[in-house]
Amino acid sequence: MTERDLTVTPDLWPEIKVPALDPAIEARIDDIMSKMTLEQKVGQVIQADSDSVTPEEVKQYWLGSVLSGGSSAPGDDAFAPMDAWIAAADAYWEASVDPEGVEIAIPIIWGIDAVHGHANLAGATIFPHNIGLGAANDPDLIEDIARITAEELIVSGHDWTFAPTIATPRDDRWGRTYEGYSERPEIVRAYAARIVYGLQGRPDTDGFLGDGRVISSAKHYVGDGGTLDGIDQGETQATEQQMIDIHAQGYFSALEAGVQTVMSSFSSWQGRKMHGHKALLTDLLKTHWQFDGVVVGDWDGHGQLPDASTTDCPDALMAGLDMYMAPGSWKGLHASLLGHLQSGRITLHRLDDAVRRILRLKFRAGLFDAPKPSSRISGSPLRLLGSQDHADLAAEAVRKSAVLLKNSDRLLPLNPAGTILVSGSGADDLGMACGGWTLSWQGGRLDSRDYPHAETVLTGIHRIVRTAGGKVLHRPDGRFRRRPDVAIHVFGERPYAEFRGDLSTLDDRSVYRRDAEILQRLRGAGIPTLAIFLSGRPLWINPELNAATAFVAAFLPGTSAGALADLIFAP
Ligand code: BGC
Ligand code: BGC
């Protein structure tokens, strides 16, 4: 592959109309940039992780942004209470605006992966993962979910979410399949704009990035869902036309909806890692489409470029990256970037463009005029976090996302007045219902006491059956003494995230052997059985499908998993 092959033909790609620049903001940026030192400018293009940077260091290095990665939380406590988050937000903000030693201080932005609700924060509302929302095929619902996610983000002092993922997953072995809405590009496209509206508000309205809104990030640009064999961070083998027709569809609508940041993908195309793909980052996104926001990197992804390391990668900036996501590598990167400016490997022109974009983002988000994060919200913040209203919306999303795959003998709807056996490892496990990217990167460790409105599938069944005068027998292994009228078996995947969830086959029989046995046993005993499958993707579960009388694919429903019970019982 030669440099010449690493190109795009912009004319093949659709035109996009992005929201216009505001001359007043541009003038303020000119003024600020004239007062910044070179060290400050370099600091702005770096984002460090909250587990690896103190407020004092943010001030000392003038960092532009802090993120909290999937497993990062204040005090290294995944269950950190809201107060600890907001205190950390204030501390970073105060450090960033401290003018000591500089002519002008620049407020920080704090990013986090609120990818299915503000799921990194204990007690927040956790919506179904995107794959379930895609199955709902309801763009209005998506906008509401995004709006509520933004409201909950403000509570903890966050300004920015790394969402939506607008991948178009084409190989379900990919461990991030559930983060995408659909393998159908038209659904991804219809959703992308609406989720951006919900998070940021509508461009050209007063509410844009106003109260209760946060900055959105379309990710992972571009082709992340098309990697060969579904291998995470791999090579997307697609022609330019396939990139346009399949993988980029979400970007067309997200950019028109005014998405302010785009996250570069770990994957490659044309043999070149996206963090260094100038044709796509600069020629297409910034020149052809006139995108005037920020291209942010992904978790040390720049370190994967040829001849680069996590602390040294001038090529990413020169290819069009504006902000390095440098979780623990930020300090070395700050030094190496300064060195490359001195040697001329990085041009001041490019650095200035990146800084201008970051300042523009901060102006548009109102950060230069905003008080400290804890003062940005009036009333009782706890009222908003994981509230009943929010749980009700999550429940609606759960009901709309479930897919009925089989209903032999018209088993559904079930009669809640009977005796119901509930089996399976997923029935009463909130962590399994939520999947990865929930409180920790890989998910799985959830304490239901943090979620007053949460319902597992079992709690939802109890709620309905109790009212109807029926009886629930909860036996995870499916064994019973008193014969039930019907059984509900809830099983599925254990939580995972990113490459740790990659599979070599969708037909791994070792995983569900026990479930198949339980279902066969119930069938042998003549008990009509509904199977509910919790998973981040479709899998080959034909033995279970055949053994069950009825079968619902529920994907990863989140903290309102109990809403599935509303679907399966007749009133
Ligand atoms: C993921 C991104 C995420 C980032 C920060 C990366 O590993 O690919 O989707 O936004 O980490 O947690
Ligand atoms: C972080 C994630 C990140 C991942 C990348 C984890 O330690 O918590 O946010 O996406 O590393 O490998």
Side-chain angles (χ1 to χ4, degrees):
M1 183 89 39
T2 67
E3 261 318 303
R4 204 161 39 83
D5 299 319
L6 297 168
T7 57
V8 291
T9 313
D11 287 349
L12 281 179
W13 298 69
E15 297 284 324
I16 289 181
K17 200 177 165 311
V18 298
L21 292 178
D22 175 347
I25 288 184
E26 299 306 308
R28 285 184 75 181
I29 297 175
D30 290 340
D31 178 50
I32 290 182
M33 285 186 60
S34 70
K35 297 176 176 150
M36 287 171 79
T37 63
L38 197 60
E39 287 79 4
Q40 265 185 302
K41 288 180 178 174
V42 168
Q44 284 301 302
V45 303
I46 296 177
Q47 179 183 59
D49 186 87
S50 60
D51 271 7
S52 310
V53 73
T54 62
E56 188 48 41
E57 287 168 327
V58 163
K59 178 179 153 191
Q60 205 184 335
Y61 291 85
W62 311 279
L63 299 184
S65 177
V66 170
L67 91 144
S68 291
S71 293
S72 312
D76 214 8
D77 169 14
F79 297 89
M82 212 263 296
D83 294 354
W85 283 98
I86 196 85
D90 278 353
Y92 285 124
W93 181 85
E94 272 159 5
S96 71
V97 297
D98 186 338
E100 190 195 338
V102 286
E103 219 180 313
I104 182 132
I106 295 166
I108 199 139
I109 30 176
W110 194 4
I112 196 160
D113 294 283
V115 296
H116 60 143
H118 192 4
N120 234 343
L121 188 64
T125 310
I126 300 174
F127 293 96
H129 264 299
N130 288 351
I131 188 171
L133 299 180
N137 199 8
D138 183 344
D140 292 339
L141 176 72
I142 295 307
E143 187 167 340
D144 285 343
I145 289 177
R147 183 175 46 75
I148 280 173
T149 303
E151 280 179 12
E152 296 204 3
L153 276 158
I154 305 287
V155 172
S156 56
H158 288 94
D159 318 287
W160 183 7
T161 171
F162 306 126
T165 298
I166 49 176
T168 312
R170 302 299 277 204
D171 188 321
D172 295 334
R173 291 174 295 178
W174 187 35
R176 308 194 78 162
T177 298
Y178 65 83
E179 294 186 59
Y181 294 107
S182 179
E183 66 186 2
R184 287 173 54 190
E186 61 275 20
I187 292 184
V188 181
R189 182 172 184 159
Y191 273 24
R194 300 299 293 274
I195 197 159
V196 171
Y197 287 152
L199 290 167
Q200 299 190 156
R202 303 213 169 211
D204 306 321
T205 66
D206 286 347
F208 184 63
L209 289 172
D211 282 353
R213 305 290 185 171
V214 296
I215 299 159
S216 161
S217 191
K219 72 184 190 185
H220 308 80
Y221 182 80
V222 55
D224 51 349
T227 57
L228 185 66
D229 295 334
I231 294 171
D232 193 39
Q233 310 191 359
E235 163 81 15
T236 304
Q237 289 202 330
T239 62
E240 190 167 356
Q241 195 59 49
Q242 287 167 330
M243 286 295 256
I244 298 170
D245 295 342
I246 299 171
H247 299 293
Q249 286 289 320
Y251 291 90
F252 305 153
S253 71
L255 291 167
E256 288 200 326
V259 70
Q260 290 297 300
T261 72
V262 167
M263 186 186 289
S264 160
S265 181
F266 272 124
S267 55
S268 15
W269 185 53
Q270 301 174 327
R272 168 68 54 102
K273 284 279 173 185
M274 285 303 308
H275 282 67
H277 208 301
K278 182 172 173 293
L280 285 168
L281 295 182
T282 300
D283 304 347
L284 183 68
L285 183 61
K286 294 178 172 177
T287 309
H288 182 63
W289 287 333
Q290 301 281 297
F291 171 66
D292 60 19
V294 169
V295 175
V296 63
D298 193 358
W299 200 267
D300 272 338
H302 55 270
Q304 298 185 11
L305 294 191
D307 305 323
S309 72
T310 55
T311 53
D312 188 4
C313 182
D315 291 349
L317 189 80
M318 291 313 290
L321 192 83
D322 300 308
M323 184 183 279
Y324 289 85
M325 187 185 283
S329 51
W330 59 269
K331 201 183 281 184
L333 195 65
H334 193 275
S336 69
L337 285 172
L338 275 172
H340 291 305
L341 276 153
Q342 268 136 26
S343 74
R345 177 98 185 262
I346 286 179
T347 61
L348 187 58
H349 180 261
R350 175 72 266 273
L351 178 70
D352 277 348
D353 174 58
V355 172
R356 172 173 292 277
R357 288 165 180 273
I358 291 162
L359 297 182
R360 185 182 291 140
L361 174 68
K362 293 181 176 185
F363 269 114
R364 285 181 175 161
L367 291 171
F368 281 93
D369 305 311
K372 64 180 176 182
S374 61
S375 306
R376 291 181 201 162
I377 172 158
S378 52
S380 159
L382 280 173
R383 192 179 45 78
L384 281 177
L385 196 72
S387 71
Q388 185 62 55
D389 284 357
H390 296 184
D392 290 346
L393 182 70
E396 179 187 339
V398 171
R399 291 192 298 270
K400 288 184 168 164
S401 61
V403 176
L404 181 64
L405 293 182
K406 178 181 182 183
N407 193 19
S408 292
D409 309 328
R410 292 182 172 248
L411 179 63
L412 297 183
L414 303 176
N415 173 10
T419 298
I420 294 151
L421 172 74
V422 180
S423 59
S425 56
D428 200 26
D429 187 331
L430 207 53
M432 248 176 100
C434 290
W437 294 109
T438 313
L439 276 192
S440 62
W441 181 36
Q442 295 295 317
R445 282 175 50 230
L446 255 65
D447 185 336
S448 29
R449 282 168 303 183
D450 287 322
Y451 299 89
H453 301 296
E455 277 191 345
T456 60
V457 183
L458 179 69
T459 355
I461 295 173
H462 271 298
R463 168 170 51 80
I464 292 190
V465 173
R466 196 182 305 121
T467 324
K471 191 168 170 49
V472 176
L473 310 171
H474 180 217
R475 305 278 182 273
D477 64 3
R479 300 206 177 265
F480 55 88
R481 253 175 272 152
R482 175 173 160 191
R483 188 182 170 81
D485 299 311
V486 66
I488 302 174
H489 183 73
V490 190
F491 72 116
E493 290 190 293
R494 306 297 315 172
Y496 54 82
E498 297 192 56
F499 46 87
R500 295 217 194 150
D502 283 358
L503 293 176
S504 54
T505 170
L506 296 179
D507 173 18
D508 185 352
R509 295 314 311 155
S510 61
V511 183
Y512 304 111
R513 193 175 297 132
R514 234 179 106 68
D515 299 288
E517 276 166 20
I518 295 175
L519 287 165
Q520 291 291 359
R521 204 173 346 106
L522 291 167
R523 187 186 173 91
I527 315 262
T529 301
L530 162 69
I532 297 181
F533 189 48
L534 305 174
S535 76
R537 52 190 149 200
L539 288 164
W540 196 83
I541 33 88
N542 291 26
E544 293 76 22
L545 196 59
N546 288 332
T549 323
F551 198 104
V552 170
F555 303 106
L556 299 169
T559 43
S560 292
L564 289 165
D566 300 318
L567 276 183
I568 60 181
F569 291 106

